Amino acid sequence: MLKRTVLTAALALAACAAMPALAQDKPPLKIVVGFPPGGSADLLARLMAEGLKNDFSSVIVENRPGAGGRIALGQVKRAPADGQTVIILPSGPMVLFPHVYKKLDYDAVTDFTPISLLAHFQFSVVAGAGVPVKNVKDMIARAKAEPGRSTYGTPGQGTLPHFMGVLFGQRAGAELTHVPFQGGGPANTALLGGHIDYKFDVVTETAELHRAGKVRIIGVTGAQRDPQVPDVPTLKEQGLDMVATAWFAMYGPAGLKPEVRDLLSAAVARAVRTPALRTKLIEQGYDPVGSTPADLAAAQAADLKRWEGPIKATGVQLD
């Protein structure tokens, strides 16, 4: 009996020693965000940080804005593959940029380890208060009457909102002029000041301004209305054949051990299933997911293929 007890204890100790350090020691986790504080990516990262705090000794969010998220991606690409540095970002840098930029200092597929889809989200079409349109039908009619004179702002050239505007114009048969800004905040300022007619961006960026009557969200791009602005119909409801959404996800550097990757993915899934976090995400207009690494890799591959044709059709190529 004593021998069996000693052997059982020895086996248990050996099993503990073999467990990944991530599960055993609760190391710190750094979430890198490639956009300024206060934006949708930053907000989501901070909600996730709160949801993950019980799985790590500490969780911090580090903002590394610039170049549409490419600076942050470079930092994570160079980080040790130990599961302690990850990035949360929208899908654009992983599915659009490979088609948009002539040269990227990262490979969206081979330089990173997919961890989890966090949430799907949709975009809004926002009109300035002084623009004489009440709905998407009015917007299209105005754009067709004066081709090229309707301007729309976005957080930057080559971003998801940029190509949402391109897709909108293609589906509507209307010519819109893109005006890129360095982030959603400056685009909002231009819209409020009457310097641009419209803005394409995630709903979160302008929902408060819409509720205050300072701008008008005239349509959303998802299959269903956004809970942040339930009074706003979808583009499909308004007769435009366009449904387009995107996603936020978590990636680590290439070379993460499968057991470390899977522990991170499981931690995300647990956090997203928590009623408090799930409610907060839905209130912000996100459709929570919490997927496996394989699901994220499949979503990325599908969207890389999906966006290739529309982007090439625009002829947009950035240095």
Side-chain angles (χ1 to χ4, degrees):
M1 180 65 72
L2 182 58
K3 277 187 175 182
R4 183 178 298 172
T5 302
V6 171
L7 179 59
T8 301
L11 288 172
L13 286 170
C16 288
M19 288 175 67
L22 188 63
Q24 186 178 347
D25 300 330
K26 284 194 174 182
L29 180 68
K30 178 165 67 178
I31 300 173
V32 181
V33 178
F35 301 90
S40 54
D42 177 71
L43 173 63
L44 179 62
R46 293 182 189 280
L47 287 173
M48 289 305 306
E50 178 68 18
L52 291 168
K53 66 182 182 181
N54 292 330
D55 287 282
F56 300 90
S57 61
S58 65
V59 184
I60 63 168
V61 175
E62 180 179 301
N63 297 89
R64 291 295 303 273
R70 286 176 286 153
I71 291 174
L73 278 165
Q75 178 182 341
V76 174
K77 172 186 170 181
R78 296 186 296 271
D82 57 8
Q84 295 184 30
T85 301
V86 298
I87 188 168
I88 286 179
L89 78 170
S91 50
M94 307 305 278
V95 302
L96 297 185
F97 288 7
H99 304 308
V100 171
Y101 286 92
K102 296 175 185 177
K103 288 185 178 181
L104 281 178
D105 58 1
Y106 65 87
D107 185 296
V109 175
T110 61
D111 285 338
F112 302 95
T113 299
I115 294 171
S116 179
L117 276 168
L118 304 179
H120 291 104
F121 64 99
Q122 57 180 312
F123 294 82
S124 58
V125 185
V126 193
V131 179
V133 301
K134 294 182 179 178
N135 51 47
V136 168
K137 184 178 179 181
D138 289 348
M139 176 183 173
I140 294 170
R142 182 171 180 263
K144 286 183 175 181
E146 299 181 310
R149 294 195 62 182
S150 291
T151 56
Y152 74 97
T154 71
Q157 186 91 326
T159 60
L160 277 162
H162 174 190
F163 288 107
M164 288 291 168
V166 168
L167 189 59
F168 180 98
Q170 290 175 345
R171 296 292 171 86
E175 185 181 344
L176 306 175
T177 298
H178 178 228
V179 182
F181 291 87
Q182 294 296 315
N188 278 345
T189 300
L191 188 66
L192 290 167
H195 304 297
I196 53 175
D197 298 318
Y198 309 102
K199 182 191 177 199
F200 282 76
D201 208 346
V202 293
V203 181
T204 306
E205 294 283 352
T206 46
E208 285 294 336
L209 294 173
H210 169 80
R211 287 191 283 267
K214 295 180 179 180
V215 301
R216 288 192 305 280
I217 298 179
I218 60 173
V220 292
T221 66
Q224 303 186 351
R225 296 192 182 195
D226 191 289
Q228 298 174 95
V229 286
D231 58 312
V232 178
T234 66
L235 301 183
K236 194 87 169 177
E237 285 180 84
Q238 298 182 68
L240 184 65
D241 186 19
M242 175 176 165
V243 175
T245 59
W247 37 263
F248 275 101
M250 178 184 287
Y251 289 83
L256 281 187
K257 292 181 179 179
E259 59 266 31
V260 174
R261 176 203 64 194
D262 292 347
L263 283 166
L264 283 163
S265 178
V268 168
R270 280 194 301 273
V272 170
R273 285 196 299 266
T274 304
L277 178 57
R278 190 173 186 83
T279 298
K280 288 178 182 177
L281 290 171
I282 292 171
E283 287 174 350
Q284 293 298 326
Y286 299 119
D287 180 13
V289 183
S291 78
T292 65
D295 288 338
L296 172 53
Q300 181 181 351
D303 277 3
L304 270 166
K305 184 176 180 180
R306 171 192 173 200
W307 281 106
E308 183 177 9
I311 291 171
K312 284 186 175 179
T314 68
V316 173
Q317 277 280 282
L318 305 178
D319 292 325

